[in-house]
Amino acid sequence: MSTIDRRDGDVYQARWRMLALLVLGYVSLTLNWFNIASAFTPISEDLGVSFEQLAMLIALFVLGYGVAHVPGGIIAARLGMKRTLVLGMVLQGAGAALSGVAVGFLDLALYRVIAGVGASIFIAVAVAAVSVWFRDHEINLALGIACGAAFSTGVALGLYACIYVTDLAGWRGMLAICGIVNIVLAVAVAVWFHTPRGVSGLHGGRISRAGLIRALVDKQLWIYGIAMLGVYGAYFTASQLFSEYAVAQRGFTPGQGGMLGAILALAGIPGSLVGGKVADLVRNYRSVIVVPLLLMGALIAAIPVAPDALLWFISFAIGFLFVFSYPAWLGVPADLSKIDPEQVGTAVGVMLTLAAVGGFVVPVVFGHIVPDHGFAAGWIAVAAISVLTALVGLLGRKRAAEPVDEDRKLTVG
């Protein structure tokens, strides 16, 4: 083992190159997640899909996304981080591209679940990859860039830019193109990504039973995972159905509705960078995570009564607050709970699986309420679920390790 100064050397700089690869993966992941919303109208017309089924398409992706987080972490511990990243990206790309050849709702639903499973495998391992490269060194900022800014960029491209791709290539062509892009980026990861030398357990091998158990039962993971549950579903509901609400209930044009969704997504870029930096500075996980989630729930409750002009601010604030909290939330396993590097993917998977419960249930609840009771009742229900689960985060530990000194050195192989 050797050391180099954190401000000097090729090995130190390599972490930013690895982060760039992961950023592209995150953009592609959320692009293939949210692009389905850009195709809701033509899908509904071509396949005869109802509003409730459109909401179900959102939930089904999250269902696949939720079930494979923990298995993805375990696969990474067994097969290695790089192979698992590539596996997840290829699987998601294939499911997304196949969505373009669906002939009915049932096979489209199946392909969305497959794409969600691939995304699930990728994201848990990608968080672990960022964590091992930036462990104790600007970890929340790095997670903010990859899991926040890149995540939000992909959401914006999926919700807004893909409208124009759909106009040019049709909804089937758009979904196929986006899926193929994901597979091409998987090849890039296979060629250029590598893990830090000197950090054991990242190339696969025997799984430590004790380490695995700790990653599965750590109390902080469960507390903060449950805290995100309702808000996670609320964000995905708002990001993909806020524009539908604005057009159907408030008289917005389709272009204005698309822009409303794009603003919600793009707000996550400054939100993630500010949130990551704040989390690195204050080291108070409870405040950085829980307070924005509670504010977000209050804003969702205000949607039915807010004037039209205020919806633009609410859209921005929802996107900003959710992703503001996200880097610190993802930093809980590595930085707050100090999970072993090879088990960070599994630990992140536990949290993401808990959150994905909300990602599946909340859109389904919204889709059931709106046809019978209207959008206002739907937004109030979503807000109530968000606030109730966010309050669980008040039980979590707030302090991580002491901040790293500026002269701290990065250990490399």
Side-chain angles (χ1 to χ4, degrees), residues 49-58 105 363-364 367-368 371-372:
V49 175
S50 67
F51 178 86
E52 186 174 344
Q53 288 174 314
L54 292 177
M56 182 61 71
L57 286 177
I58 299 172
F105 175 76
V364 171
H368 277 290
D372 294 331

Side-chain angles (χ1 to χ4, degrees), residues 148-161 235 239 258-273 315-321 323-324:
F151 185 99
S152 299
T153 300
V155 173
L157 291 173
L159 291 176
Y160 193 67
Y235 174 80
S239 61
M259 181 61 71
L260 196 69
I263 287 173
L264 189 151
L266 290 171
I269 297 176
S272 66
L273 299 178
S315 179
F316 178 88
I318 288 172
F320 183 93
L321 290 168
V323 189
F324 179 97

Side-chain angles (χ1 to χ4, degrees), residues 25 28-33 35 61 85-101 111-122 172-187:
S28 183
L29 177 146
T30 49
L31 168 66
N32 282 284
W33 183 340
N35 60 1
F61 184 99
L85 286 170
V86 173
L87 172 64
M89 294 181 74
V90 169
L91 191 58
Q92 187 192 7
L98 286 170
S99 297
V101 300
Y111 296 141
R112 295 304 292 170
V113 172
I114 292 172
V117 169
S120 177
I121 293 171
F122 170 82
R172 297 181 183 278
M174 180 272 289
L175 293 175
I177 290 168
C178 292
I180 292 168
V181 167
N182 208 58
I183 294 173
V184 171
L185 289 174
V187 174

